[in-house]
Amino acid sequence: NGCIAIATQTENAQTQVLVMDTKQRELYTWKTDNAVTALAISDNGSSVAIASSYVEQGELKNALTIIKNGEQKCRYENRKSADSGFGV
């Protein structure tokens, strides 16, 4: 319906996700120290699924975070090796 989500690098966070309405007005932002790799947005812009990666103890890890109306609702992290998929 015209809502958009944009991931950008900022000075005080690895990535900032900005969600805007159909008139390009800011609805909300979310910041993370992870590197965002993919975004999916709901039709009305209220929910965003954010795939991201980070390094922990020398291993590449992945996370899937669900944001609703600017608040983190759930987060799934890869708890196994990088090639085994998400562990919940």
Side-chain angles (χ1 to χ4, degrees):
N1 76 353
C3 292
I4 59 173
I6 303 168
T8 59
Q9 186 175 1
T10 68
E11 289 183 20
N12 51 357
Q14 176 72 18
T15 307
Q16 173 179 287
V17 175
L18 170 65
V19 178
M20 297 190 294
D21 67 11
T22 57
K23 295 182 178 168
Q24 296 184 354
R25 294 178 297 209
E26 181 179 320
L27 295 174
Y28 54 89
T29 60
W30 181 77
K31 294 180 181 179
T32 180
D33 289 331
N34 297 357
V36 171
T37 57
L39 297 169
I41 187 171
S42 64
D43 287 342
N44 65 3
S46 66
S47 298
V48 179
I50 303 167
S52 62
S53 297
Y54 61 100
V55 175
E56 182 179 87
Q57 296 179 346
E59 283 191 43
L60 180 63
K61 303 286 185 170
N62 301 296
L64 175 63
T65 306
I66 308 299
I67 307 296
K68 183 159 179 82
N69 296 320
E71 294 183 29
Q72 182 173 315
K73 292 299 178 184
C74 57
R75 178 179 170 100
Y76 304 97
E77 292 190 32
N78 179 328
R79 290 182 168 79
K80 299 179 182 179
S81 64
D83 60 351
S84 66
F86 285 96
V88 178

